[in-house]
Amino acid sequence: MKVPADLLLLPQWVVPVESEGALADHAVVVQDGGILDVQPADAALARYAAAQTLALPGRALIPGLVNLHGHAAMSLLRGFADDQPLTAGLSGRIWLAEKKHVSGAFVRDGTLLAAAEMLAGGITACNDMYFFPQAAGEAFLQAGMRTTLGLFVAEFASPYATDADDYLAKGLAVRDELKDEPLLAFAFAPHAPCSLSDATLGRINTLAEQLGLPIHTQLHETADEIRESLEQFGVRPLERLARLGLLGPNFIGTHAVHVNEAEIESLASRGCHVAHCPSSELKLASGIAPVAGLLRAGVNIGLGTDGAARNNRLDLFAEMRLAALLAKGASGDPAAMPAAAALKAATLGAARALNLDDQIGSIVPGKRADLVAVDLRAPACQPVFDPVSHLVYVAGREHVTHVWVDGKLKLNDRCLVDLDTDDLTARAAYWRTKLTRG
């Protein structure tokens, strides 16, 4: 008697990520939202009686992409402060707009817009950092997207909270309310070291250790940040965090553009992770992160898009390609970040940083069925000698045809299943009008 299953997928290639290369003519079997088996197609068809069998000719089936750093709600600020230095764009436009308009409704609508863009582009999980995390969490749940909600912390007042104690209290309350949602995880998300006192960072560290949560912060993004830390605290930001005890396997430093060799070794020796956001870092002229050096030292790297106000696209296919090319160009080594390493950074590497690598990030039995089908049949994708190389250097998010999160179909033949794109467009237009009026 055949073994029952919910879904049997028959792509041309399965790209497990945990092992090198691609498996041709293999099947992925899904049951109860998880990956039950990965077998040669003929063997799987003989063994399993699936409620649904889906042939995916010319498709590569990959793990869902994991966006390790973003500000989803800022999709409503896409293009709002372009072609300006980071500080000028923030203080002159973004912060003023946020002070006046950011609310639970703003965050909910912006997060839904971002979730639609990410899901359509093969991103099944993200690590979010912004105000009103409860509204963001509700939006991600509505979209059916896996998310690590950042419990944002700052010393400055905002429409969301008045001071660090208020941010922490509200963030912890959100975690308590939503912690049983299977698609949601949580992380402490201090804004940046220079904007937080030693006492606040120490408290975050203590809470993170007690609750077993990652700490996710923006770090060494600009040269100005380094100078400010030296003037204010007498040390560079990373050294300050090390002295305060924050560096360790649960620490995710976003950007890490301006890290020297000693700091790279410090990150590596403590088991820290880096969220590399190449498009954002280039667009803001922050610099080019030393990815080749980080990889050589053994630092785990994941890829992020940053927010749409800083990058404009929530597109991890673009980030994979750019990360690989920049690593080669900056180091002079064409093998600095091979295609397989770029794909791993966008999947298993990011999942590992979030302590989710036992659930997602690769296609192996026992993990959740967060899966993406990428169509490589177009003339621009021919011929296909190496599907992994094509996924990084040739394919784009427009080639994504199907997406599953926890075994549930979210994108069907390039059409979103659960989100109304006309409604999202109308919500975006509403906020554009409000923001334009000031």
Side-chain angles (χ1 to χ4, degrees), residues 67-71 127 129 189-193 215-222 225 238 241 251-259 267 273-278 280-281 289 302-307 310:
N67 187 352
L68 190 52
H69 176 72
H71 314 282
N127 181 29
M129 172 194 279
H191 173 251
I215 298 172
H216 162 220
T217 190
Q218 299 169 126
L219 179 73
H220 284 227
E221 181 178 5
T222 66
E225 176 193 343
L238 197 61
L241 294 179
F251 180 81
I252 305 166
T254 297
H255 303 302
V257 171
H258 298 276
V259 288
L267 290 167
H273 314 272
V274 166
H276 178 37
C277 306
S280 167
E281 290 149 15
L303 295 182
T305 61
D306 211 334
R310 298 160 59 114

Side-chain angles (χ1 to χ4, degrees), residues 352-375:
R352 183 169 295 148
L354 295 171
N355 293 330
L356 295 175
D357 53 312
D358 61 335
Q359 299 181 49
I360 61 172
S362 58
I363 301 179
V364 296
K367 291 198 176 185
R368 305 309 296 166
D370 289 12
L371 302 166
V372 172
V374 185
D375 193 346

Side-chain angles (χ1 to χ4, degrees), residues 317-318 320-322 325 339 374-399:
F317 280 90
M320 282 195 291
R321 186 172 192 272
L322 186 55
L325 296 181
V374 185
D375 193 346
L376 301 181
R377 293 177 295 179
C381 295
Q382 300 303 313
V384 182
F385 295 107
D386 179 355
V388 175
S389 172
H390 261 43
L391 287 165
V392 174
Y393 299 126
V394 178
R397 64 180 179 179
E398 69 274 14
H399 295 108

Side-chain angles (χ1 to χ4, degrees), residues 159-241:
Y160 171 57
T162 56
D163 57 21
D165 288 342
D166 195 23
Y167 283 103
L168 282 167
K170 287 177 175 173
L172 291 169
V174 170
R175 176 188 173 272
D176 288 345
E177 183 168 343
L178 299 177
K179 65 182 180 181
D180 294 327
E181 293 288 348
L183 291 180
L184 295 183
F186 301 88
F188 285 101
H191 173 251
C194 286
S195 64
L196 292 160
S197 68
D198 286 1
T200 297
L201 288 170
R203 187 177 174 201
I204 289 169
N205 190 41
T206 299
L207 288 168
E209 290 179 350
Q210 291 172 345
L211 299 173
L213 300 185
I215 298 172
H216 162 220
T217 190
Q218 299 169 126
L219 179 73
H220 284 227
E221 181 178 5
T222 66
D224 286 344
E225 176 193 343
I226 308 294
R227 285 193 292 271
E228 182 180 344
S229 181
L230 288 168
E231 292 170 1
Q232 191 172 352
F233 303 103
V235 293
R236 290 162 66 91
L238 197 61
E239 174 61 24
R240 179 168 168 247
L241 294 179

Side-chain angles (χ1 to χ4, degrees), residues 8-29:
L8 195 152
L9 299 174
L10 297 167
Q12 186 165 348
W13 302 279
V14 174
V15 182
V17 171
E18 283 196 15
S19 57
E20 288 293 322
L23 304 172
D25 300 319
H26 273 59
V28 174
V29 185

Side-chain angles (χ1 to χ4, degrees), residues 84-93 95 222 224 228 284:
Q84 298 182 46
L86 175 59
T87 302
L90 286 172
S91 61
R93 292 276 284 169
W95 287 343
T222 66
D224 286 344
E228 182 180 344
L284 294 167

